[in-house]
């Protein structure tokens, strides 16, 4: 029952991140291709070009990392048993 709840929470969290990333991408695109081409935008053209590029790149990276971690989770590796050398030496001495 709790694993079902956890899966649902992960899906809603992923959905929120995807929506925020898409909105940030859209805002960056708007700033880069529309506001920066205006005659005299507030804070200047360079600011809007830089902020548009930064928003687009960060939103794409966040989206990529979250989708990758959701669809391709890390596989848990099997751990080997811990072997202490002193115990192994004692066993070999007893058998000899």
């Amino acid at each position: 029952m709790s694993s079902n709840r956890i899966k649902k929470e992960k899906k809603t969290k992923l959905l929120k991140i995807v929506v925020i990333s898409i909105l940030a991408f859209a805002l960056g695109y708007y700033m880069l291709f529309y506001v920066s081409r205006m005659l005299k935008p507030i804070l200047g053209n360079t600011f809007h070009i830089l902020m548009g590029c930064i928003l687009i790149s960060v939103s794409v990276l966040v989206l990529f990392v979250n989708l990758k971690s959701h669809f391709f989770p890390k596989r848990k590796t099997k751990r080997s048993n811990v072997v202490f050398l002193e115990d192994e030496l004692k066993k070999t001495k007893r058998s000899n």
Side-chain angles (χ1 to χ4, degrees):
M1 191 80 167
S2 66
S3 66
N4 212 6
R5 181 178 55 91
I6 292 171
K7 286 181 182 179
K8 189 174 182 179
E9 287 176 0
K10 284 184 180 181
K11 284 183 182 180
T12 57
K13 182 181 176 185
L14 179 70
L15 184 64
K16 288 178 186 178
I17 291 172
V18 167
V19 168
I20 290 171
S21 295
I22 290 172
L23 290 175
F25 182 84
L27 179 64
Y29 186 85
Y30 178 75
M31 288 177 73
L32 183 61
F33 290 106
Y34 294 108
V35 178
S36 66
R37 292 183 181 177
M38 290 181 175
L39 189 58
K40 289 194 177 193
I42 299 171
L43 300 174
N45 293 5
T46 306
F47 172 77
H48 290 288
I49 291 170
L50 289 175
M51 285 306 295
C53 289
I54 289 170
L55 278 173
I56 289 172
S57 61
V58 168
S59 66
V60 167
L61 285 174
V62 167
L63 185 66
F64 174 72
V65 167
N66 282 304
L67 289 177
K68 181 183 166 285
S69 66
H70 180 72
F71 289 111
F72 303 107
K74 287 184 178 178
R75 300 285 180 216
K76 293 184 179 178
T77 58
K78 291 184 178 179
R79 294 186 143 211
S80 60
N81 293 335
V82 179
V83 177
F84 295 102
L85 293 177
E86 293 175 0
D87 294 340
E88 289 296 317
L89 288 173
K90 288 178 185 176
K91 287 181 184 177
T92 56
K93 286 180 182 178
R94 287 181 193 162
S95 65
N96 289 335

